[in-house]
Amino acid sequence: MHIGRLIKQKMDEQGKTVTWLARELSYCRTNIYKIYDKKSLDTDLLLRISALLRHDFFSDYSEELGKNVPNQ
């Protein structure tokens, strides 16, 4: 799972812009593009983005975990 790509996908689906997310996070636009390139993020930042986009990215990680855990 590539969290940056997933965030970008959710942004696109919701019609949100890089400028909007940058303003909401008090980041510059360049840093938002860097987030899109990241395979993983700090949990505090991911929590903030989850709240802003009203999407539980942690659930996406849980689903991914469920796919990769061997049956016991």
Side-chain angles (χ1 to χ4, degrees):
M1 183 172 127
H2 191 288
I3 195 65
R5 287 187 203 137
L6 186 55
I7 290 169
K8 181 174 185 335
Q9 176 186 340
K10 293 300 173 189
M11 293 274 295
D12 292 343
E13 288 173 6
Q14 295 181 22
K16 305 286 186 186
T17 65
V18 170
T19 302
W20 175 83
L21 187 57
R23 184 177 55 246
E24 295 296 318
L25 293 174
S26 298
Y27 279 21
C28 66
R29 287 182 12 230
T30 303
N31 286 341
I32 302 304
Y33 289 113
K34 288 179 183 177
I35 288 171
Y36 290 168
D37 289 335
K38 292 186 179 270
K39 187 171 179 168
S40 64
L41 285 180
D42 174 78
T43 55
D44 182 56
L45 177 57
L46 188 58
L47 181 61
R48 291 173 62 200
I49 294 171
S50 291
L52 289 169
L53 294 178
R54 293 185 170 97
H55 179 81
D56 186 356
F57 290 101
F58 296 94
S59 289
D60 296 326
Y61 272 116
S62 293
E63 285 179 29
E64 186 73 15
L65 178 63
K67 295 176 190 174
N68 295 313
V69 174
N71 293 333
Q72 296 187 14

